[in-house]
Amino acid sequence: MQTEKVEEEEDAPEEYVALCDFTASGSEQLSFITGDKLLVHNKSSADWWWAELQGVIGYVPASYLRLDGAEEGDDTSLEDPWQDDEYFGSYGTLRLHLEMLSDRSRTETYRQVIVSNSASLRDKVVMDLGCGTGIISMFCAQLAKPSMVYAVEASSMVEHTRQLVKQNGCEEVVTVLQGRAEELELPEQVDILVSEWMGNCLLFEFMVESVLLARDRWLRDGGVMWPSSAALALVPCQADNYYTEKMAFWERPYGLDFTPLQPLAQQEFFTKPKFSHLIDPEDCLSAPCDVICLNMYTVQVRDLEEMKGEFQFCVEKPGIFHGFTAWFTVQFESLEMGGATVELNTGPNSDPTHWKQTLFMLDRPIQVYTGDSIHGNIVLRRNPVWRRHMTVMLHWNINSNTDDCQANISLNIHIHKC
Ligand SMILES: N=C(N)NC/C=C/[C@H]1O[C@@H](n2cnc3c(N)ncnc32)[C@H](O)[C@@H]1O
């Protein structure tokens, strides 16, 4: 069999070893299994490289590879698949805490949960997992009368948290503990495990794993999880401004034709999600639907490896289908039977939050019409190497009955790594 002769590059390709399996999901990608040796010809972007395996070439996810011959110890980052130094380092400074505290929708929701359950919180033992500056713990101490709040924080912020607790007269009720919640020793089980763990697309950062491990270890039988449940919502949408900014731009900049760069632009800008997206409700092409739901009492850490959801959208108005937008909601059940559930919704019809929404762009936009059906599935696959990352795959078909014909467009699976 004639294998494709790869022209020798001026700088010889580097040999990398695969750290785990990867299954291609498009003709332009290359599958491999753990231990495969790949020749990397071009590091076309930070996330995707152009590589060769046994004479076949294609795009491969850079984070799955390690330079061949580099021992485990050489590449210290591999010893830290949770990237904890970087992660907890980032929470040791004020920037992220200021962002979260400035998010009124988020912070007021947690305060409302405490206020509306203040009577039932009396004499209860609470754990605030990942307390940061301790805001939720101090809400508990100020607005209710729990017997104890264990405010657990792994980053160096914790020394300031102790100071804030004292400064606000909460040291009788709030005990600040430094360490990873799933590792440290608590003197007792807790009645309520409260945490603000949600990341982009709900799960990014995968702090939720720590919440589940702490639940299994420290939440007493019949104890309450806050949030009690979580859902990832999805909607097909227009994103004309973003499309114009990143793709249409190349059509006629300064009177020149730059369209040969559009495949590069597609690879560089549209193969990973746009986390900072603020979708206009007008850009939703249909009603959203919850594609993944987590019951915080029953979901297991192993379930986080791969989560799947089906969707079926009925297009409600004609428009250009540029992509899908995702966001999340979390629910806080009442401590009283039949009490009202409080919800934090980070979607386009609620008050904006620091999470904003996440936009996944299609390879190419498609005109859709009222009544079209966009149906398919979403798969969130946790990165086997980098444990705070995941890949999102979207596979969909469109059934359109315009022009009196039944067009059934099956589109490529779309890979997003975030
Ligand atoms: N909502 C988002 N995105 N981030 C939540 C905020 C994360 C906070 O929780 C802390 N944290 C995260 N994981 C743990 C853990 N396993 N044990 C103790 N503290 C932890 C971080 O240092 C931040 O201060």
Side-chain angles (χ1 to χ4, degrees), residues 2 19 55 83-84 87 98 125 173 200 235 253 284 288 321 331 387 410 414:
Q2 172 65 31
L19 298 167
Q83 300 161 289
D84 275 355
Y87 181 75
L98 178 59
V125 177
V173 173
N200 282 306
V235 75
C284 296
F321 175 26
Q331 296 76 33
R387 300 305 282 154
S410 177
H414 212 82

Side-chain angles (χ1 to χ4, degrees), residues 249-262:
F249 169 82
W250 308 103
E251 278 159 18
R252 187 61 64 194
Y254 308 99
L256 294 169
D257 176 355
F258 273 39
T259 51
L261 293 184
Q262 288 189 319

Side-chain angles (χ1 to χ4, degrees), residues 134-239:
I135 180 90
I136 296 173
S137 297
M138 289 189 276
F139 283 162
C140 289
Q142 246 190 5
L143 305 167
K145 299 208 175 317
S147 64
M148 174 54 70
V149 181
Y150 294 108
V152 177
E153 173 55 46
S155 75
S156 58
M157 183 53 61
V158 70
E159 59 199 78
H160 306 293
T161 310
R162 285 198 176 92
Q163 188 186 10
L164 294 175
V165 164
K166 193 169 178 55
Q167 180 77 13
N168 290 279
C170 300
E171 68 273 29
E172 290 301 306
V173 173
V174 179
T175 300
V176 180
L177 302 171
Q178 175 159 18
R180 287 191 64 146
E182 61 274 33
E183 288 163 4
L184 54 62
E185 289 301 322
L186 281 193
E188 56 187 320
Q189 297 258 298
V190 301
D191 301 303
I192 291 132
L193 199 171
V194 62
S195 180
E196 192 282 76
W197 52 265
M198 300 76 73
N200 282 306
C201 264
L202 180 61
L203 294 166
F204 192 47
E205 290 180 31
F206 280 90
M207 180 179 164
V208 63
E209 173 167 328
S210 304
V211 173
L212 300 184
L213 293 174
R215 171 199 70 188
D216 297 346
R217 204 172 159 204
W218 298 114
L219 185 66
R220 69 161 178 74
D221 288 350
V224 168
M225 294 290 286
W226 277 345
S228 321
S229 57
L232 184 72
L234 195 71
V235 75
C237 68
Q238 299 194 132

Side-chain angles (χ1 to χ4, degrees), residues 38-91:
L38 296 105
L39 279 180
V40 172
H41 292 277
N42 179 340
K43 297 180 177 176
S44 35
S45 82
D47 295 327
W48 294 89
W49 292 347
W50 189 245
E52 175 197 348
L53 175 61
Q54 291 134 18
V56 183
I57 54 178
Y59 279 112
V60 297
S63 65
Y64 283 43
L65 307 179
R66 184 186 69 219
L67 198 55
D68 192 28
E71 291 313 312
E72 193 83 16
D74 294 6
D75 183 346
T76 50
S77 64
L78 283 178
E79 286 165 4
D80 184 10
W82 280 83
Q83 300 161 289
D84 275 355
D85 294 349
E86 175 192 345
Y87 181 75
F88 290 121
S90 67
Y91 283 111

